[in-house]
Amino acid sequence: MNDVQELVTRADEVAPEFAATSAAERRALLRGIADVMDAGADELVTIAGEETALPEARLRGELARTTWQLRKFGDAVVEGSYLEAVVDHADPSDVPPRPDLRRMLRPLGPVAMFAASNFPFAFSVAGGDTASALAAGCPVIVKAHSGHPRLSRRTAELVSAAVEAAGLPAGVFGLVEGFEQGLALVDAEPIEAVSFTGSVAGGRALLDRCTARPRPIPFFGELGSLNPVVVTAAADAARGDELAAGLAGSFQLGAGQFCTKPGLVLVPQGSRLIQELPAQVAEEEPTMLTERIAEGFATGRAAATAVDGVEVLAGGGGATAPTLLATDASVLLANAEVLLEEVFGPLTLLVRYADAAERESVLAELPGSLTATLHAEDSDDIDGLVDRLGRLAGRVLFAGWPTGVAVSWAQHHGGPWPATNTQHTSVGMTSIRRFLRPVAYQDAPERALPPELRDDNPLGIPRRVDGRLVPGA
Ligand code: NAP
């Protein structure tokens, strides 16, 4: 048996035991992981800094977000609404007559998780995917990202120590490294789902692999996103300078290596923003997270600047220099295949539109995104725009910039392809749904029912009973 098979077999063996743990036990595990990571913060941040070139303040902030997220998932599990428990008592007056039906969500089983490169804590070994899968009661095997191997190993050691301290079997958590091991993990029969954050090409290959298995399994991918921003003529006239400063900060943050970086900004002809922005583009060349990302940036930028009618307003010289491009809506529409490709890194494309009709014709061509942002004034008629942006993206912002992603119940970090390949979010409390599936029990005797579905509701969780929402105790 190789490492992957051994880990998967181990995870499969312990999956029923882990699924049967109480919410309080899983909360203790998640809190334990958060505690050991907080205690090891200095060491973890040092390793992360050496491997990713991200600044210490950013890494400390990301680690704090990661451990807070782990604790928050623990609380969500105890609160219990994530189970979507429903009790429909038998009703002979229903058409057709209804038997006693009770439904709730149950853990899927062992999950494979491909860690992201760009958030070495929050979307990596002990990040949101791992937290939500463990919260759901699923063993997790992480495929480490090749961009931060030492940090991945050290984080995995801490998670494994917390699993042991919680009195749980070691099979609840594992780590594999290497491209081929990642493929073997996806192919391993007991794996029930795969989660992924990365490129469209890599995600597509793994999605196809999940589907091609003898027993296909769900793939939850967070892939590419342009994150369009619309600035109305009124907003540009009222606060073009302020918007330029906000956009400058957002597209250069973390060297533009955010899935939520604003990559395409629709501005009116004669825009103030376009005049103010070039001076705010940094000259220093950032170190990118990995060689592969640096190469992808250079290739994407070269393709965009090679299009006739695309102007370089700032940057564009050095290999990773932050770059500001501009073009007209007509050029974008004639070269959509090239200009609507995400360029991962510090680059944004300003697209000038003549009027609302031309702006709409660009929006109609855009691929799905994680976010869409609108900067408008009270005097603007925005009804059609709001509807359009809601069809484009999973999160619509009416102020500010999309880069930050809060972890909360209402968060949605997903969107139409290629942002994601499913309707699920990969951030926030409802991301737990990815690792659960509904089971309905028909005419089950009380003793056969999970406590969450029994009449006396011993855990006091919120439920829908005979069509009415009943709050938790
Ligand atoms: P990536 O190249 O897609 O790699 C992500 C993970 O998937 C890595 O573990 C990689 O393994 C594995 N992988 C990639 N292609 C695969 C394939 N065909 N079959 C099996 N496994 C595969 O992403 P990345 O290294 O993070 O960054 C590259 C690009 O991804 C960026 O330039 C950007 O476009 C995009 N990206 C998007 C997001 C987002 O949030 N949407 C985040 C980060 C990056 P190895 O590392 O072992 O090769």
Side-chain angles (χ1 to χ4, degrees), residues 23 61 71 155 176 402 428:
R71 294 188 179 99
T155 309
V176 303

Side-chain angles (χ1 to χ4, degrees), residues 285-300:
E285 286 186 45
T287 305
M288 304 298 271
L289 287 162
T290 65
E291 201 51 41
R292 183 160 65 203
I293 289 177
E295 279 166 20
F297 177 70
T299 309

Side-chain angles (χ1 to χ4, degrees), residues 127 159 273 284 294 308 327:
V159 175
L273 181 157
E284 308 86 71
D308 254 1
T327 197

Side-chain angles (χ1 to χ4, degrees), residues 114-297:
F114 281 70
S117 57
N118 57 340
F119 284 88
F121 294 119
F123 287 79
S124 193
V125 175
D129 285 357
T130 297
S132 52
L134 291 177
C138 299
V140 178
I141 302 176
V142 175
K143 157 39 176 105
H145 195 281
S146 50
H148 48 270
R150 282 192 295 127
L151 179 67
S152 301
R153 278 173 226 139
R154 185 63 189 129
T155 309
E157 282 169 9
L158 293 175
V159 175
S160 294
V163 168
E164 191 181 347
L168 292 165
V172 164
F173 177 81
L175 180 83
V176 303
E177 291 182 68
F179 188 89
E180 293 301 325
Q181 283 73 6
L183 294 180
L185 188 57
V186 172
D187 292 345
E189 211 291 327
I191 292 294
E192 294 289 346
V194 175
S195 70
F196 172 92
T197 305
S199 65
V200 176
R204 181 67 205 232
L206 291 170
L207 163 64
D208 291 346
R209 204 159 176 118
C210 285
T211 308
R213 286 170 39 123
R215 183 175 66 87
I217 53 172
F219 174 82
F220 302 106
E222 194 216 305
L223 313 170
S225 187
L226 269 182
N227 305 302
V229 177
V230 176
V231 179
T232 67
D236 185 82
R239 47 195 169 94
D241 49 350
E242 188 192 307
L243 293 172
L247 175 58
S250 184
F251 94 85
Q252 297 176 89
L253 189 70
Q257 299 165 117
F258 276 56
C259 43
T260 47
K261 178 206 72 175
L264 186 145
V265 185
L266 278 154
V267 294
Q269 294 277 10
S271 154
R272 257 178 82 192
L273 181 157
I274 226 171
Q275 289 158 20
E276 303 278 342
L277 191 52
Q280 301 181 47
V281 176
E283 284 176 8
E284 308 86 71
E285 286 186 45
T287 305
M288 304 298 271
L289 287 162
T290 65
E291 201 51 41
R292 183 160 65 203
I293 289 177
E295 279 166 20
F297 177 70

